Amino acid sequence: MSSGRPEPDQPLYTISVAAELASIPARTIRLYERHGLLTPQRTEGGTRRYSDNDIARLRRAAELAENGVNLTGIRHVLDLQDENTRLRESRTSDGG
């Protein structure tokens, strides 16, 4: 049964909409992408599409940047958070 809400990983938003939702400029999103902070899905025509999870990641990256963390540090923090989430999910699915 569907709740009518999209899956958090479903690519829905163009870069301009993602920028508005994350409250950061599109050029910052492109910079984050170049530095490996996120990899949006692309349409067959090459248009970037961002998911709700991507928007949350953009917001977290922007928050870290505002607190003085450089791009390399941001990537490490986000990678550690992703790993922590994966570990929690695998522990939950294992009945842990």
Side-chain angles (χ1 to χ4, degrees):
M1 178 184 260
S2 174
S3 66
R5 297 190 60 123
E7 292 295 320
D9 284 328
Q10 184 177 353
L12 300 171
Y13 311 110
T14 62
I15 194 166
S16 60
V17 174
E20 186 174 332
L21 290 171
S23 300
I24 60 175
R27 70 180 176 276
T28 301
I29 295 175
R30 289 185 198 96
L31 175 70
Y32 289 173
E33 185 180 341
R34 277 194 307 275
H35 284 272
L37 302 183
L38 78 156
T39 305
Q41 300 227 4
R42 293 196 180 248
T43 65
E44 286 184 22
T47 302
R48 294 170 175 90
R49 293 285 182 196
Y50 297 88
S51 67
D52 287 328
N53 283 344
D54 291 329
I55 302 302
R57 190 172 179 89
L58 288 168
R59 288 178 179 146
R60 182 66 179 134
E63 177 185 322
L64 290 166
E66 286 174 17
N67 286 309
V69 180
N70 66 25
L71 291 171
T72 301
I74 292 170
R75 187 172 63 214
H76 287 299
V77 169
L78 294 177
D79 288 348
L80 286 170
Q81 288 176 336
D82 289 345
E83 181 63 18
N84 190 22
T85 299
R86 279 191 296 275
L87 288 170
R88 273 197 218 137
E89 288 172 354
S90 70
R91 205 168 98 194
T92 302
S93 67
D94 290 344

